[in-house]
Amino acid sequence: WLVILTSWLIAGIEYCFLIPANRIGHTYFSAAQLKGMQEIITLIVFAVFSITYLKEELRWNHYAAFALIVCAALLIFKK
């Protein structure tokens, strides 16, 4: 129960920051651009968590996939 409660607490705090950030960010960026930035940030946090806490090693195919996702996100910003 403690793990579940902690997870929901973290998600709740994240949500409290996410909503105002999206409202403020939408004055400068489109919804697609905001979602692209969110995906890149999530990937970075996930990669750091996987390496540091889970002690998993990222292989070349993970880095290649992450690079393709970054390229896709950058295309969202192309005018």
Side-chain angles (χ1 to χ4, degrees):
W1 287 105
L2 184 60
V3 172
I4 294 170
L5 183 62
T6 303
S7 297
W8 276 101
L9 181 63
I10 292 169
I13 292 169
E14 178 187 4
Y15 190 75
C16 289
F17 286 107
L18 180 66
I19 299 304
N22 281 335
R23 292 188 72 169
I24 294 167
H26 197 262
T27 60
Y28 302 104
F29 301 107
S30 70
Q33 290 171 329
L34 287 169
K35 182 61 179 170
M37 286 188 283
Q38 178 188 3
E39 291 300 324
I40 298 302
I41 292 167
T42 301
L43 271 177
I44 292 168
V45 170
F46 178 76
V48 170
F49 178 78
S50 294
I51 293 168
T52 59
Y53 184 76
L54 299 176
K55 306 295 186 210
E56 292 184 359
E57 184 178 319
L58 296 180
R59 296 186 309 262
W60 72 269
N61 56 328
H62 298 134
Y63 290 111
F66 291 165
L68 290 173
I69 293 171
V70 169
C71 289
L74 290 175
L75 285 175
I76 294 171
F77 286 93
K78 190 75 173 160
K79 295 269 181 190

